[in-house]
Amino acid sequence: MAFFAGLFFGLMILPTLGDKYGRKPLLIFASITSTIVTLALMLSRNFEFSLACITIMGLAWSGKNIVGLTYAVEIMPD
């Protein structure tokens, strides 16, 4: 449920930020965030910290997959 909560909020926020600030910087930020949070989750020994990491992973997923897909479509030649 934590992942889907992060995904829900990410889908409301990140596409708008991608339109405002650019999709490439948001894609890079989401990829780096996902990598760091995944490493933190692997080393986590606390349940609450793990839930926070999983929620942030949901946020990063919407940045990588939704904004990243839109960015990929934009840079592909016709």
Side-chain angles (χ1 to χ4, degrees):
M1 183 176 155
F3 181 83
F4 290 112
L7 180 64
F8 176 75
F9 289 114
L11 288 173
M12 289 192 308
I13 296 168
L14 294 179
T16 305
L17 291 176
D19 290 339
K20 186 173 184 179
Y21 297 110
R23 290 179 179 88
K24 185 176 180 179
L26 189 66
L27 177 62
I28 292 169
F29 178 75
S31 297
I32 291 170
T33 302
S34 178
T35 302
I36 291 170
V37 171
T38 301
L39 292 173
L41 185 61
M42 289 190 313
L43 300 173
S44 174
R45 303 232 184 252
N46 186 349
F47 180 72
E48 289 82 13
F49 181 71
S50 295
L51 282 178
C53 287
I54 291 170
T55 305
I56 296 170
M57 285 176 68
L59 282 164
W61 185 90
S62 59
K64 289 188 316 179
N65 292 318
I66 303 303
V67 175
L69 178 65
T70 307
Y71 177 65
V73 168
E74 287 179 351
I75 63 172
M76 293 301 261
D78 289 334

